[in-house]
Structure formats: structure tokens, C-alpha cells
Amino acid sequence: MTKVKLLQIGGITERMRAALADQFDIDILFDQPDRAAFLAAHGADYPAILTNGHYGVPEDVDAATPNLKVVSSYGVGYDAIDADACAARGIKVAHTPDVLNDEVADTFVLLWLAVSRELIPSDRHARSGKWETDGNYPLTRSVQNRRVGILGLGRIGQTIAERCKAFGADIHYHARSEKDVPYTYHATAADCAAACEVLVAITPGGASTRHMVNAEVLKALGPDGIFINVARGSVCDEQALVEALQQGKIAGAGLDVFEEEPKIPDALKSMDNVVLTPHVASGTHETRQAMGDLVVANLQQWLKDGSVKTAVPECRHL
Ligand code: NAP
Ligand code: 8YV
């Protein structure tokens, strides 16, 4: 059987490679010594791309693949792919929704508790010997019975809301539209922040949410407020966040995503009231395996009948 040419952008697991190997002839973009020459010579050979939420489909790849039919992306967020342009070209874009909801919601809880209960400095106090020399670590703020605002009440946002119930939270949210849920809706991010003590961003990235969390929103959150970002770095104005933290306009932050990944501003790294994780919200063996299996399943289904299991909304009509 003739294998179908597949262009791989970013890394994949051995399990994914093994599952695809019988049907696809995989070339790895980042292995090519001269990317431009490679794309010019071979771009037209690829009907299929396997990528991830970080790299998406870069402009040079898009321009060099006139026969592209399917893009299967490892991750639910697809702001690095121009899905409207793909749909206009008849290209099916698939992503990995739902299988990571629990993991990302858990990461929100992890960051929230770590910031509020000062896990990192408290651990440092214990292991440095300061407990013996300086005495007890100061008291911290409870996460019980807080007003929590969720920016983006989609698949993951709703899972976060479920987690928050276990902490007795009063749940608020902002999204494009009001939902039929027993939580308080706010028409703007600033209104949501003003009503809350904890604010979590879990919208998609892209132009419509760029800097949704800005100086005004952080000021509204207030000096006892905690901001958690598990969405995309672009959703928060990082400079405004640094200033808000430096000036005590908010109490702390837990950040899994950044504006210029993998770069993180030194100012954030230096603050004790900030907890940083390197975009690992879905990063467990179990969830990454489920994501990889879905990436593969989308490609296999496309090969079988031209459809994909989990198309992004822009491509569902194709
Ligand atoms: P989803 O089900 O599509 O939910 C997105 C939510 O964001 C919806 O409630 C939507 O509002 C809201 N929204 C979209 N654009 C908005 C705007 N301009 N203003 C206000 N609200 C807006 O997506 P999901 O599966 O929950 O995933 C959300 C995002 O999480 C992903 O796109 C990705 O960027 C991020 N993520 C990050 C990680 C990580 O590793 N840190 C892992 C997974 C996902 P409506 O409901 O009103 O349309
Ligand atoms: C992935 C993510 O780590 O699903 C998403 O949107 O941000 C993460 O789960 C990322 O897409 C892989 O690059």
C-alpha cells in the first residue's frame, strides 16, 4: 500500500509514530537543514500535517503546501492555525478537545493553592533550615469560600467551576455569551474581576482575547486578588501584570503560559508571590497519551473517509 505523505511540525511520541507508521510516510520539518529549500522542493507533496498548539501551521508552511487537505493538531487551542483560511481552502483542521479538561482544571487548582498557601516559599523555609533558625512560617490565606471568576466558561472553564465547588467557592464568569448555569455572569472581564478574589483565564488565545487581562482588569481584581493564567500568554498583558504585582495592585499570580514562550520575564521569576510552570497544564503521561491517540485517530479517520473526529468549529461544515 502506498503511504500518504505527512509533514510533522514539532515533536511526537513513539506511540504516535508507531500508530501512524503503516499508513503515513512521515517527514519532520525541523530535521531539514534548509527549511526554505525543503518546502520549495517538497511542500506540494503533503496532503497532511501533524502539528501542535505552539507551532500551528507557520506562514511559510501554509504557503508551500497547495495540496494540503488535513491538519491534525496536538492540543485543544489552535490560535497558531488560521482556521478560517484553512476552511476557505477546504482544509480540515482537527484538535484535541475534552481529553485534557481534567488535567488543565487540576493545574488551575495546583497554581491557586500554591500561590494562596505560599507553597514555594514555605517549602524553601522548611528545607533551608530557616524553620529552626527563624521560627514558624507566617500564616497564609485560605482558599476556602472565595469568590472565583472564570474568564471563558467552555469545556475547561466548566471543569474548573466544578473543582471550585469543592472549595465552597462563589463562582462568577465572563464569556462571549451568558450560559444556563448557576454562576454569576459578567459582561466584561473587568466586571468579573471586580466581583472576585481569584481570577482565572481559560479562553482561547488569538486576536479577540489579546490582553483581555490588562491593567484595568488587574486593578479591579484588587490588592488581595490572585490571577491564574492557564489559557494563553497573549490573553494577559504581561507588562501590566508585572507592574500590578510590583505595585501591590494584586496579591499574587500563578502562570502556566507566557507571551513569548519559552521566555519568561526576569521580573516574574524574581517574585515570591508568583508561581510559574512551563506550559505543562496538560502535561501528564495519561493526558498526553489521550491527546496523541486523538491526533492519530483524526488522521486515520481522514484517510478512511475524508472526515475527522474532532474538527475545530470553523471546519465542521466541510
Ligand atoms: P472552549 O470550550 O472553546 O471554551 C472557550 C471559552 O472561552 C468559551 O466559554 C468562550 O465563550 C470563551 N471565549 C472565547 N472567546 C472569547 C472572547 N473573545 N471573550 C470572552 N470569552 C471568550 O475551549 P476549551 O476547550 O475550554 O479551551 C480553552 C483554551 O484553553 C484553549 O483554547 C487553549 O488556549 C487553553 N488551553 C491551555 C492549556 C495549557 O496547557 N495551559 C491546555 C489546554 C487548553 P462562549 O462560550 O461564550 O463562546
Ligand atoms: C498543549 C495546550 O501542551 O491544548 C492546548 O491548547 O496548550 C496544551 O495542551 C499544547 O497545545 C502542545 O503544544
Side-chain angles (χ1 to χ4, degrees):
M1 174 185 141
T2 314
K3 292 189 189 182
V4 172
K5 296 283 282 179
L6 173 68
L7 183 60
Q8 176 194 324
I9 305 174
I12 64 172
T13 61
E14 265 320 303
R15 178 184 170 95
M16 292 164 75
R17 184 176 308 285
L20 292 166
D22 284 348
Q23 295 167 296
F24 292 91
D25 176 14
I26 306 175
D27 293 321
I28 304 172
L29 180 66
F30 296 157
D31 281 357
Q32 308 309 320
D34 185 338
R35 172 169 165 154
F38 167 78
L39 286 173
H42 305 291
D45 300 344
Y46 297 101
I49 284 178
L50 191 168
T51 187
N52 64 35
H54 182 70
Y55 293 113
V57 180
E59 275 177 26
D60 61 339
V61 175
D62 180 58
T65 49
N67 298 313
L68 190 59
K69 299 282 185 291
V70 66
V71 175
S72 185
S73 188
Y74 181 82
V76 65
Y78 56 97
D79 45 296
I81 301 172
D82 188 340
D84 286 321
C86 284
R89 283 177 58 193
I91 300 164
K92 294 188 172 70
V93 178
H95 63 154
T96 61
D98 289 318
V99 294
L100 39 58
N101 294 350
D102 285 319
E103 219 66 78
V104 180
D106 287 353
T107 303
F108 155 71
V109 174
L110 174 77
L111 289 169
W112 175 26
L113 266 67
V115 174
S116 198
R117 299 300 309 273
E118 303 182 19
L119 176 69
I120 309 293
S122 178
D123 172 272
R124 199 181 307 128
H125 192 80
R127 73 176 66 218
S128 68
K130 275 196 170 177
W131 191 16
E132 287 177 58
T133 56
D134 297 11
N136 289 341
Y137 190 81
L139 300 184
T140 60
R141 283 197 92 211
S142 175
V143 294
Q144 298 297 319
N145 306 314
R146 294 291 169 208
R147 296 184 307 278
V148 179
I150 305 173
L151 303 178
L153 199 72
R155 290 169 291 246
I156 302 172
Q158 292 192 34
T159 312
I160 286 175
E162 290 299 320
R163 295 290 189 284
C164 289
K165 287 182 192 169
F167 296 95
D170 174 15
I171 300 165
H172 298 242
Y173 71 101
H174 163 66
R176 288 176 295 199
S177 61
E178 190 168 357
K179 321 285 170 210
D180 185 16
V181 289
Y183 315 136
T184 308
Y185 178 68
H186 298 273
T188 69
D191 286 350
C192 189
C196 293
E197 301 163 290
V198 179
L199 187 70
V200 50
I202 188 63
T203 63
S208 82
T209 57
R210 186 177 145 73
H211 290 186
M212 172 186 276
V213 176
N214 55 21
E216 179 203 354
V217 170
L218 293 165
K219 187 169 174 228
L221 183 57
D224 291 329
I226 289 173
F227 171 60
I228 308 292
N229 192 359
V230 282
R232 283 287 181 267
S234 60
V235 174
C236 175
D237 179 342
E238 218 162 61
Q239 188 52 41
L241 176 63
V242 166
E243 284 166 21
L245 287 160
Q246 285 171 335
Q247 295 165 15
K249 288 185 177 161
I250 66 168
L255 308 169
D256 184 55
V257 288
F258 306 89
E259 285 205 86
E260 290 182 36
E261 295 176 10
K263 290 187 186 145
I264 301 176
D266 287 339
L268 290 175
K269 291 182 196 162
S270 72
M271 292 182 204
D272 259 355
N273 53 346
V274 175
V275 177
L276 306 168
T277 50
H279 202 146
V280 293
S282 67
T284 62
H285 294 295
E286 295 83 354
T287 292
R288 288 289 171 84
Q289 181 169 309
M291 290 162 65
D293 288 351
L294 188 47
V295 168
V296 169
N298 274 314
L299 287 166
Q300 288 174 334
Q301 182 163 312
W302 169 76
L303 207 54
K304 199 167 140 205
D305 65 11
S307 69
V308 292
K309 284 168 79 82
T310 47
V312 302
E314 293 86 339
C315 298
R316 281 185 198 148
H317 64 284
L318 295 174

